[in-house]
Amino acid sequence: FSAPMFDERLGDSERILEGASDILSGIWLEGDEHVHSRTIPPPVRPALAAHLTAEAQVSREREETFVMQAGAEPFLVFHRALNPGSTFPRAHQVCVYSLAGVVTTQRELRDAILVISLGILLCGAVVLLVLVNKLTLSLRELGTATKEVQAGNFNVSVPVRARDDIGHLVQSFNDMTAGL
């Protein structure tokens, strides 16, 4: 079968339809080394025909979907038999969709999620350090004042910074040193 399946000249309506979809299509005959298409790029066709031949040997399903790599670009391929049960070679409608844009978008989203996650983690660490410092400041001051009382200095007082349990402990310490 050496004659081209498609006329290389495009009519006006075909030119409009050609740019309207990202799905590329063609026809493949079982046993043929070529995928006949006007929209599937010529460098992709031999790899596609080889994948279709391999798929036809493994499965006799009427419809198949698989992902293939042609060069550096991944493609989602759907094919279905157009003439099952015919005495002629089985013809398959082949639809190809490039996954390059999907992979690029997936990579960009992964990178954005990673940057946002690291930013949130860094902000959380800063907030945690500020809170820990604020919570432990009164306890550190209380520890320093306790050492002063042990040394015999009863004129120490610790500023009360909060009205929680630690603030009550600091106030009790101040009352104790005033009583001593």
Side-chain angles (χ1 to χ4, degrees):
F1 191 79
S2 61
M5 185 169 266
F6 298 107
D7 185 0
E8 294 301 320
R9 295 169 291 165
L10 294 173
D12 288 338
S13 62
E14 289 172 317
R15 284 189 205 284
I16 292 169
L17 289 175
E18 185 180 64
S21 175
D22 291 337
I23 299 175
L24 311 173
S25 63
I27 301 291
W28 175 71
L29 300 173
E30 278 191 27
D32 195 354
E33 296 176 1
H34 305 286
V35 173
H36 304 280
S37 172
R38 226 182 310 189
T39 58
I40 299 173
V44 175
R45 293 180 201 167
L48 180 57
H51 277 284
L52 290 168
T53 300
E55 287 288 322
Q57 291 173 356
V58 172
S59 174
R60 300 298 292 170
E61 296 289 324
R62 290 184 175 192
E63 296 181 359
E64 284 287 328
T65 303
F66 61 92
V67 176
M68 66 164 245
Q69 196 81 15
E73 189 171 1
F75 290 93
L76 178 64
V77 179
F78 171 79
H79 69 95
R80 68 181 177 126
L82 295 174
N83 60 343
S86 174
T87 57
F88 294 105
R90 287 177 64 168
H92 293 261
Q93 176 187 17
V94 180
C95 296
V96 179
Y97 179 77
S98 172
L99 296 175
V102 173
V103 170
T104 301
T105 302
Q106 183 181 24
R107 190 175 301 120
E108 289 170 356
L109 285 173
R110 184 192 65 220
D111 292 346
I113 289 170
L114 182 64
V115 167
I116 290 169
S117 298
L118 288 174
I120 290 172
L121 185 64
L122 183 63
C123 288
V126 168
V127 167
L128 181 68
L129 287 174
V130 168
L131 287 175
V132 164
N133 188 42
K134 183 178 184 234
L135 289 173
T136 60
L137 179 63
S138 292
L139 293 175
R140 285 182 292 182
E141 290 174 340
L142 193 59
T144 303
T146 303
K147 288 179 184 173
E148 288 289 322
V149 170
Q150 282 178 340
N153 181 8
F154 301 118
N155 293 327
V156 273
S157 85
V158 179
V160 179
R161 301 186 186 278
R163 295 178 190 248
D164 57 3
D165 291 339
I166 294 174
H168 292 300
L169 178 64
V170 169
Q171 185 60 48
S172 296
F173 178 83
N174 289 337
D175 293 343
M176 178 192 74
T177 56
L180 290 175

